[in-house]
Amino acid sequence: MRKLVVGSRRSKLALTQSKQFIDKLKAIDPSLEIEIKEIVTKGDRIVNQQLSKVGGKGLFVKEIQNELFNNDIDMAIHSLKDVPSIIPEGLTLGCIPDREIPFDAYIAKNHVPLEELPKNSIVGTSSLRRGAQILSKYPHLKIKWIRGNIDTRLNKLETEDYDAIILAAAGLKRMGWSDDVVTTYLDKDTLLPAIGQGALGIECRSNDIELLELLQKVHNNEVANCVTAERTFLAAMDGSCQVPIGGYANYNNNNEIEFTGLIMTPDGKERYEHTEVGTDPVKLGNRVSEILKEQGAYEIIRKLNEEASH
């Protein structure tokens, strides 16, 4: 096998999960020579604005995809929730490895439970999806925008006027943070995760047969089916970072995929949610999308996308 160059965002989390994935490949073939090329994306450069206000899909992937097209890297290791549902022609997701915990982590000062936070307590999140779901269940709370890596956000919880923050649990786990930091992991009934949360997507050129064969050795087919249902729903709903959209699929005890899709208004006042069970992930994602559209969910997306384009 030739020497491989991996493209990764420069953040500590991105580099850590890239190194962890490279270790998986080397466990299969210790002779592999792999180097990481750090790439700064538009999403990394914009640190003083809410990402949903910046607009556009692929804020964290476009520059990396360009390096693939230019043959400057062989593969990219993405957090799958950052990857738009449509992959450019000529590129493919060569594998979806094992998924880390897909849920959100709630971290509060003095570990005050979410349901016990007093009126007007401030919860920090940079996600419209998290904010909308919290406001819908706990309208007496306030959502305040927060950006930065895990360390920065944990520091802001201690030093600024936040009473609690919500982060993706997968990032904390991959960075080796102890469970003691987390007040509670929020299950899907409390906070439905982002599409693809906790999963990685390994992107490469569609014609790189040698690399694709290697990547298949660390591919997790069950995880791939689950995130396919989620990403099909995202594409069918035309979801973007302007829209509070969530989706989570997992295998139930009957070895069928159970998929729940969610669309909300940012203020949490309107909520459209539906669950379907089946074996075909694409049909599942499309079916949930059709039902939510029939219920009127697409009107939220249309309005939010229209506002963002003005």
Side-chain angles (χ1 to χ4, degrees):
M1 185 84 190
R2 65 184 194 272
K3 178 183 176 179
L4 295 169
V5 181
V6 168
S8 170
R9 288 172 59 200
R10 189 169 280 172
S11 77
K12 212 190 281 187
L13 173 57
L15 290 170
T16 298
Q17 64 193 25
S18 292
K19 285 169 186 162
Q20 288 167 349
F21 180 73
I22 288 167
D23 288 344
K24 277 193 167 177
L25 289 180
K26 287 189 169 173
I28 285 163
D29 181 354
S31 71
L32 285 173
E33 198 183 341
I34 305 176
E35 75 170 53
I36 294 177
K37 181 177 182 183
E38 296 177 20
I39 300 161
V40 179
T41 68
K42 184 179 179 183
D44 295 311
R45 287 195 296 271
I46 300 165
V47 291
N48 57 351
Q49 281 176 280
Q50 200 168 349
L51 290 178
S52 57
K53 300 274 194 295
V54 182
K57 296 176 184 176
L59 285 171
F60 292 110
V61 302
K62 219 161 221 135
E63 289 84 350
I64 300 176
Q65 288 174 332
N66 288 339
E67 300 255 348
L68 278 169
F69 281 124
N70 295 335
N71 291 311
D72 292 328
I73 60 171
D74 298 292
M75 62 176 150
I77 300 171
H78 302 295
S79 288
L80 195 59
K81 68 182 173 123
D82 295 335
V83 181
S85 48
I86 309 297
I87 303 284
E89 198 173 330
L91 301 181
T92 187
L93 288 175
C95 94
I96 310 286
D98 297 347
R99 192 177 201 172
E100 187 47 271
I101 178 172
F103 303 117
D104 287 305
Y106 165 80
I107 303 170
K109 279 182 181 152
N110 304 318
H111 286 313
V112 177
L114 178 56
E115 61 277 10
E116 290 176 24
L117 281 179
K119 189 178 180 184
N120 292 328
S121 293
I122 294 172
V123 179
T125 174
S126 55
S127 153
L128 289 176
R129 169 190 61 84
R130 291 179 187 132
Q133 289 185 80
I134 293 295
L135 289 174
S136 117
K137 284 194 168 71
Y138 305 101
H140 61 285
L141 300 178
K142 290 188 170 173
I143 297 295
K144 186 178 169 187
W145 173 67
I146 190 170
R147 282 280 313 275
N149 61 29
I150 294 169
D151 300 21
T152 303
R153 293 190 209 192
L154 289 170
N155 184 48
K156 285 182 177 180
L157 174 61
E158 293 308 316
T159 59
E160 296 184 20
D161 58 351
Y162 298 98
D163 297 288
I165 58 173
I166 299 174
L167 304 166
L172 288 165
K173 292 274 193 188
R174 289 196 177 110
M175 292 301 291
W177 282 89
S178 157
D179 281 352
D180 300 347
V181 175
V182 178
T183 305
T184 186
Y185 292 108
L186 302 172
D187 63 23
K188 69 181 195 320
D189 297 323
T190 307
L191 205 64
L192 200 70
I195 306 291
Q197 187 160 302
L200 298 180
I202 315 304
E203 192 174 27
C204 62
R205 289 178 289 281
S206 311
N207 61 1
D208 194 341
I209 305 304
E210 185 185 27
L211 178 55
L212 285 166
E213 284 175 0
L214 172 69
L215 291 175
Q216 276 306 298
K217 293 173 181 169
V218 288
H219 180 70
N220 183 320
N221 203 48
E222 279 199 0
V223 173
N225 285 339
C226 289
V227 297
T228 296
E230 296 168 19
R231 287 168 60 77
T232 300
F233 170 72
L234 180 70
M237 293 306 294
D238 192 25
S240 67
C241 51
Q242 281 90 21
V243 180
I245 183 167
Y248 178 59
N250 64 306
Y251 273 84
N252 64 18
N253 295 333
N254 299 324
N255 208 30
E256 292 177 306
I257 304 166
E258 191 171 296
F259 171 63
T260 303
L262 170 76
I263 302 286
M264 296 184 74
T265 48
D267 62 8
K269 288 178 179 168
E270 274 187 76
R271 182 185 187 106
Y272 297 91
E273 186 174 348
H274 184 70
T275 302
E276 285 279 324
V277 177
T279 52
D280 183 324
V282 174
K283 280 183 183 165
L284 271 181
N286 282 325
R287 179 75 186 127
V288 172
S289 153
E290 283 161 16
I291 287 166
L292 292 191
K293 283 177 180 173
E294 283 164 14
Q295 292 173 357
Y298 196 75
E299 193 52 26
I300 293 175
I301 293 171
R302 193 189 62 72
K303 275 186 192 156
L304 289 170
N305 285 340
E306 208 171 84
E307 282 167 23
S309 64
H310 287 327

